Amino acid sequence: MPTKEEIYQKVQAALVDALGVEQEEVTPEATLVGDLGAESIDFLDIVFRLEKAFDIKIPQNELVPQDILTNAQYVKDGRLTPEGLAALQQRIPFVDLSKFAENPVVQDFPNVMTVGDICRYVEMKLGVA
Amino acid sequence: MRWFWIDRFLEFECGRRAKAIKNISLAEEHLQDHFPGYPVMPASLIVEGAAQTGGLLVAQCSDFREKVVLAKVSSARFYAEAVPGDTLIYTATIEALQKDGASVQVTVHRQEELLAELQLMFAHLDGEFADKTLFKPKTLLFWLRALGTFQVGRLPDGGPLHEPDWMRQAEAADPD
């Protein structure tokens, strides 16, 4: 079982390769979109690299729950409803949504996820405490 | 000019790997300008050849129903120039495949010499593009036949790859 530090290093390497950024830029607090310049196709690239690096399977919508973010039941006027927020938080407990929840505009969601969130997701998948 | 940057498939293992050939000819018009007196196949067109090899391999995984587009060149390294008279061999290998798209690794060889290595991401168009058509089915079928896809194509169980029924039906319904 890898340590948290080993997970961080592998996530860092995956993001450096997927996004063409410098290793120093990939800090735990860096957001994937805002700070590292990730675009939508990059998320699929990141998913594939994480699967390979950690020998895990990442089902569609598990890391980025597009199904919730595009579900009319959960989105009203471009914002997540309280039910939508709850569903999102339940699906991605590894992401701190408290700030996003103050103004949950769906199109702002891509800028929420950080490098640290990805690490916590992998830790969760691997059962690292 | 037809936008065909591979000439024929040599191997086509569905869901796994495809090998395509590209013969570079001095008769290709763009080589008169790239460069005058020093013809070299543009690296961007080598990327296109790699994308056509990998993209058709990925498209076959959905029986050619998904609209597969090159979404990202994750990496591309070129080690030597490709010139008229060269025969390039593109070998595309699917590394990962999901509902949203695929990651494909491609090597380009001239005989035993490695000319280029690429990592490509393909996306399946949906959402706002769901109703768009990239190719008419008969056009795509014509291209696949011209490339010898169904002569060399093999399914995972080793059986032959046949022309998809839905494409043949669409072709029959579109005689022009």
Side-chain angles (χ1 to χ4, degrees), chain A residues 69-122:
Chain A
L69 295 165
T70 57
N71 188 335
Q73 184 192 339
Y74 292 137
V75 180
K76 292 279 181 287
D77 300 325
R79 302 156 69 90
L80 276 179
T81 61
E83 295 75 27
L85 260 176
L88 187 65
Q89 187 65 83
Q90 189 179 18
R91 185 78 75 73
I92 51 172
F94 48 90
V95 179
D96 177 4
L97 291 177
S98 54
K99 196 146 185 278
F100 174 69
E102 292 170 11
N103 187 22
V105 176
V106 169
Q107 68 174 25
D108 291 344
F109 178 77
N111 207 25
V112 169
M113 199 169 278
T114 65
V115 175
D117 294 333
I118 301 284
C119 292
R120 279 187 290 280
Y121 168 74
V122 173

Side-chain angles (χ1 to χ4, degrees), chain A residues 20-86:
Chain A
V21 292
E22 298 296 325
Q23 191 174 323
E24 298 75 49
E25 297 176 70
V26 187
T27 61
E29 301 76 26
T31 58
L32 298 185
V33 173
D35 295 328
L36 302 181
E39 296 181 21
S40 58
I41 188 66
D42 293 322
F43 281 89
L44 186 59
D45 195 359
I46 292 166
V47 162
F48 286 153
R49 288 176 194 275
L50 293 177
E51 286 186 333
K52 195 172 177 183
F54 296 102
D55 194 23
I56 54 177
K57 272 282 160 209
I58 302 177
Q60 193 188 23
N61 291 323
E62 189 171 273
L63 188 58
V64 182
Q66 285 296 343
D67 55 334
I68 291 176
L69 295 165
T70 57
N71 188 335
Q73 184 192 339
Y74 292 137
V75 180
K76 292 279 181 287
D77 300 325
R79 302 156 69 90
L80 276 179
T81 61
E83 295 75 27
L85 260 176

